Amino acid sequence: MATVYDLKSRFQTLLRPVLRRMARAGITANQVTLAALALSVIAGLAIAVWPAAGLPLALLPLVLFVRMALNAMDGMLAREHDQQSALGAVLNELGDVICDLALYLPFALVPGLSPMAIVGLCLLAVIGEMMGVVGVQIGASRRYDGPLGKSDRAVLFGTLGLLLGLGIVTPVFANWVLAIALLPAALTVFNRARKALAEVREGRP
């Protein structure tokens, strides 16, 4: 099933000239990872502190776009400029989960939104990313299968944040969207487990 993640290679091509200048300037992959984490925490705190304000929500798509660019850059710096490390791998996996929670859990404080649906989506997101990593542990590849992977969650929450922040949709409508999104979130966990196990059975990482 196609996901937003499938566009990653094209996005990386656009970023490569900027990446070369960053590498020459001595910027490391781990520094970029930490910058994405700091940005996410600050943006999430803004939503948590001012949950009834429209601006923090409306700015979320921009924050998520910058985060996506930083996430792409840290991996490219690590792979293409000999910066891969055990610490980098830990920061990358934990950083993604922490960023998601920092940005999306504050939605539970927005007036009218369902805390149960938001917490449920965040919980499934954590389980999904854990299942992606478990693939490596059992001898498969790191799984990024959808239909609601990291990039797709960003589109979901970014769009809802923008529409809610601008007053285009109501919390009632957003709650329906969030409730429906629980199904593909659960399916993502199932797909990653199924495909990881299939890889192991076929003996191809």
Side-chain angles (χ1 to χ4, degrees), residues 59 72 89 168 176 178 189:
L59 289 177
I168 296 174
W176 276 106
L178 292 167
V189 179

Side-chain angles (χ1 to χ4, degrees), residues 75-204:
M76 293 168 70
L77 279 170
R79 289 188 303 273
E80 300 176 12
H81 296 273
D82 195 28
Q83 296 184 19
Q84 291 180 312
S85 66
L87 175 61
V90 171
L91 288 176
N92 184 60
E93 292 294 349
L94 283 180
D96 280 345
V97 173
I98 294 171
C99 285
D100 272 10
L101 295 178
L103 287 168
Y104 307 148
L105 273 180
F107 272 70
L109 301 174
V110 175
L113 292 188
S114 168
M116 185 176 298
I118 293 160
V119 171
L121 279 171
C122 288
L123 180 60
L124 287 169
V126 172
I127 296 172
E129 296 310 312
M130 179 182 178
M131 186 60 242
V133 175
V134 167
V136 178
Q137 186 179 3
I138 64 174
S141 61
R142 202 312 187 175
R143 301 305 313 180
Y144 294 99
D145 309 280
L148 200 67
K150 179 180 70 176
S151 300
D152 307 288
R153 288 192 299 272
V155 171
L156 171 66
F157 278 95
T159 302
L160 282 181
L162 178 63
L163 296 178
L164 286 166
L166 296 179
I168 296 174
V169 301
T170 65
V172 173
F173 174 83
N175 284 336
W176 276 106
V177 174
L178 292 167
I180 293 169
L182 289 168
L183 179 58
L187 186 58
T188 298
V189 179
F190 175 78
N191 282 341
R192 291 183 179 186
R194 178 174 59 85
K195 293 191 176 183
L197 291 170
E199 279 191 32
V200 174
R201 285 194 297 270
E202 296 170 8
R204 56 176 181 83

Side-chain angles (χ1 to χ4, degrees), residues 42-92:
I42 291 170
L45 281 174
I47 297 173
V49 173
W50 298 288
L55 185 59
L57 289 170
L59 289 177
L60 187 58
L62 176 61
V63 172
L64 289 167
F65 179 80
V66 175
R67 177 199 166 190
M68 181 174 64
L70 293 173
N71 284 166
M73 287 175 179
D74 65 4
M76 293 168 70
L77 279 170
R79 289 188 303 273
E80 300 176 12
H81 296 273
D82 195 28
Q83 296 184 19
Q84 291 180 312
S85 66
L87 175 61
V90 171
L91 288 176
N92 184 60

